Amino acid sequence: MATCWNCDLSLGEPRTVSRDEICDSCQVWIRSCKNCHFWSETSRSCEEPAAEWVHDREHVNFCDFFALRSDDGQSGSGSDSGGGSESGGRSAFDALFS
């Protein structure tokens, strides 16, 4: 389930989000960096290296890489990334060096 970055209102299942969608509860833009799968609250930046710089991370933008984030860490692009879970990725990485 995806949630609003500002008020934690449930936005339903991750899906394609249009540019003009706003949160029903707090009226912030849903298609913003802070609601994206690639947004890192730790570094307060985008983790997609090919994405262009976006000045206002809370405002709607035209980013081609936007994917609605979900609570379980899956992107809302609708496609299987094939990466598996983080622990599965780590074990595959460790297997390369054993």
Side-chain angles (χ1 to χ4, degrees):
M1 294 295 265
T3 58
C4 174
W5 68 267
N6 190 48
C7 69
D8 289 328
L9 176 75
S10 175
L11 300 173
E13 292 299 317
R15 65 200 182 329
T16 302
V17 177
S18 69
R19 254 185 109 310
D20 60 348
E21 285 188 60
I22 58 172
C23 176
D24 292 331
S25 175
C26 65
Q27 308 302 307
V28 299
W29 297 106
I30 293 176
R31 189 182 175 99
S32 66
C33 294
K34 288 192 170 187
N35 248 3
C36 183
H37 172 73
F38 296 108
W39 175 255
S40 170
E41 194 60 43
T42 305
S43 64
R44 301 191 51 75
S45 64
C46 180
E47 293 186 341
E48 171 53 57
E52 293 182 25
W53 171 256
V54 174
H55 178 70
D56 187 349
R57 305 302 180 127
E58 297 176 5
H59 198 271
V60 67
N61 59 60
F62 289 101
C63 183
D64 292 331
F65 298 99
F66 179 84
L68 186 61
R69 73 174 162 80
S70 67
D71 296 337
D72 62 1
Q74 299 297 314
S75 70
S77 61
S79 62
D80 183 14
S81 64
S85 68
E86 184 175 321
S87 61
R90 179 65 185 189
S91 61
F93 178 77
D94 290 340
L96 290 172
F97 298 100
S98 58

